[in-house]
Amino acid sequence: MLKYIVKRLIYMIPTLIGVTLIVFLIVSLMPGDPAKMILGDNAPPEAILELREELGLNKPLHIRYLDYMSDLLRGDMGESFATGKSVSEEIASRFPVTAELALFSILFSVGIGIPVGVVSAVKQYSLLDSVTVILTLLFASVPTFWLGLMLMLVFGLRLEWFPTSGINEGIRSYILPALSMATISLSMIARMTRSTMLEAIRQDYIRTARAKGATERIVVWHHAIKNALIPVITVAGTEIGFLLGGAVAIESIFALPGLGTFLVDAVKRQDIPVIMGTVIYMAAIFAVVNLVVDIIYSFVDPRIKSEYTK
């Protein structure tokens, strides 16, 4: 298992390098001048040229990329063009907000999606199953930002049950943003659980368990669910990465001081070090989450663990 983990970590290196290259090219080729955005349109040309020289924007594109990668390998993500603060420190201070938001969202998605999918599969063709299928299709089609605005309007402004912005009220501040982000993930997990459970409960070992007198509860929650969970774990792990990326819109709507808001502001200012650092940070977390998902496989299915140990 340890050799497998080390091997996967090594494979992450070229992936992250490719991410840095693509993002750097996209950001560097964006129209506009970061120096002019920082100083304003009315700044003298001499001041703009001086700032460009100070920020290293006058260097050739490939030299700037190599300089950035050289600093990154030393653990230095640079300083923000706009504020002059360390990008690493800014990300470290804002990441807990995004992480908590993603955690609450995945808890909603898994905690509701898996039981709903299991019950829907066990009660196939019933009214409950039909309602579940319709609702999951509906929630999967609703734009996250629109749902966030509707939840804010109803539960924040009309009913005043939850705050509509900021993180001053602890867990209550994350309820509406997390529900907004969780709807699509919840729908996908519920549909995947239903599909895998329908396949699992039709297997021979399930018929054998029933023939031996096992109760339906034991058959479903002890025998079938274990074999149905592996594809669900894959979806849930992938959704964590998407939730981190999806936090960009939701954090902006609910004014949460996380990485999403930080990234949006950086794109507006063409703050290259901030954009690069934030995207690399999210990409690294996404790669680590995929590795953790693969490791969880081995605890769910011993056959996979035996393949890892070979």
Side-chain angles (χ1 to χ4, degrees), residues 5-6 10 31 35 40 44 51 63 80 94 99 101 104 124 129 169 191 212 222 284 299:
I5 294 174
V6 173
I10 293 174
L51 183 58
I63 298 297
S80 170
R94 294 170 180 269
L101 178 58
F104 283 120
Q124 188 182 16
D129 181 37
E169 298 191 31
R191 292 166 64 189
K212 289 182 177 181
H222 183 71
F299 294 97

Side-chain angles (χ1 to χ4, degrees), residues 210-276:
R210 285 171 174 159
K212 289 182 177 181
T215 63
E216 191 66 18
R217 179 181 177 184
I218 293 177
V219 168
V220 172
W221 295 103
H222 183 71
H223 295 290
I225 192 68
K226 286 186 177 181
N227 293 277
L229 272 182
I230 292 180
V232 177
I233 292 173
T234 304
V235 174
T238 306
E239 287 301 309
I240 293 176
F242 287 133
L243 288 172
L244 288 172
V248 173
I250 293 300
E251 285 181 9
S252 299
I253 292 173
F254 288 92
L256 301 178
L259 287 182
T261 306
F262 190 46
L263 181 59
V264 170
D265 293 339
V267 170
K268 292 178 181 177
R269 299 191 301 257
Q270 284 193 301
D271 198 338
I272 296 177
V274 172
I275 298 173
M276 292 289 298

